[in-house]
Amino acid sequence: MWIVYVLKSKVANKYYIGCTNNLFRRIHEHNSGETSSNKAYVPYELVYKEEYQDRTLAYKREKEIKNYKGGNAFKKLIKE
């Protein structure tokens, strides 16, 4: 199972969109500072996720969400 997820920083108004086959491990990596690109914004909380059986579909959806990040479609998605 593949998961597309959105994390929100608890200290800054920043979001991270990713895709993984192990959500628990990936959130731990983010919050422990193992992801260097966003360790300045830890801790993160999970605000949205979608599950997919196929890796290709999950990565396609991740890219789609990243393309409308910050817009009305993104805001609607994370409010649901």
Side-chain angles (χ1 to χ4, degrees):
M1 173 143 337
W2 288 87
I3 301 167
V4 177
Y5 62 95
V6 179
L7 301 177
K8 182 179 181 182
S9 169
K10 291 184 178 183
V11 297
N13 194 23
K14 302 256 183 202
Y15 291 91
Y16 181 88
I17 301 164
C19 184
T20 185
N21 63 351
N22 186 331
L23 186 59
F24 178 78
R25 174 189 49 83
R26 194 66 181 121
I27 292 173
H28 174 74
E29 289 173 355
H30 285 291
N31 284 329
S32 65
E34 294 178 42
T35 306
S36 60
S37 63
N38 59 7
K39 68 180 180 180
Y41 308 112
V42 297
Y44 284 90
E45 64 180 333
L46 180 67
V47 294
Y48 184 79
K49 72 175 183 173
E50 295 178 1
E51 297 178 355
Y52 293 88
Q53 294 294 328
D54 182 80
R55 177 181 178 216
T56 304
L57 291 175
Y59 278 105
K60 183 177 178 181
R61 179 62 172 149
E62 175 192 13
K63 186 174 181 179
E64 181 181 41
I65 293 171
K66 285 180 175 180
N67 283 337
Y68 57 65
K69 184 175 172 187
N72 288 333
F74 181 76
K75 291 173 186 171
K76 182 179 176 185
L77 181 73
I78 62 173
K79 284 187 178 185
E80 291 178 352

